Amino acid sequence: MAHDIEIIEKTPAEYSYKKRRSDRLMRSQLMMFALMIFMTLISFAAVQAGFSAYFVVPVVLLLAAVQVGLQLYYFMHMSEKGHGLVAFFMYGGMLIAFLTVLAFVTIIWW
């Protein structure tokens, strides 16, 4: 049994568009990777410098939250089209988790 195989060739314009899009995506991912490394180094430096725990803990938690958001958005390709429902449930779950932790911290604190 032979299967018909259809070979589709790209036009030069399609090839050029795909290459530019791929280059732009790679550049943005490399920039985000460098930003993640920089934020991690800031966290390590804040801990190593011997600052007060009242300063270090919020800064490290803030940088961690920013990193999680950026990693989901860029490295998990949430910025691309077609991920609206997945992004809604993921960010909704993160909001519920944050509110739950906030509620427990508030109950314990007071």
Side-chain angles (χ1 to χ4, degrees):
M1 230 179 194
H3 296 288
D4 293 333
I5 298 175
E6 182 178 350
I7 298 174
I8 299 174
E9 293 185 26
K10 294 179 186 176
T11 64
E14 289 174 329
Y15 180 76
S16 175
Y17 171 75
K18 291 272 189 182
K19 180 153 178 49
R20 280 191 317 245
R21 184 171 179 259
S22 177
D23 288 345
R24 187 174 51 240
L25 181 64
M26 181 59 75
R27 189 177 325 125
S28 71
Q29 287 204 355
L30 282 175
M31 287 178 61
M32 283 301 117
F33 178 72
L35 182 64
M36 300 295 164
I37 296 296
F38 181 69
M39 285 194 285
T40 302
L41 290 175
I42 289 174
S43 297
F44 279 121
V47 172
Q48 188 65 27
F51 292 126
S52 169
Y54 294 111
F55 174 74
V56 172
V57 171
V59 167
V60 169
L61 289 177
L62 177 69
L63 289 174
V66 169
Q67 279 189 344
V68 166
L70 289 175
Q71 285 180 4
L72 284 174
Y73 191 72
Y74 283 101
F75 297 140
M76 299 303 289
H77 304 285
M78 299 301 273
S79 61
E80 296 178 3
K81 292 181 180 178
H83 291 100
L85 188 62
V86 175
F88 173 74
F89 282 113
M90 192 174 298
Y91 292 132
M94 287 171 36
L95 177 66
I96 290 171
F98 172 74
L99 291 176
T100 303
V101 169
L102 182 66
F104 284 132
V105 166
T106 304
I107 289 171
I108 292 171
W109 194 271
W110 288 3

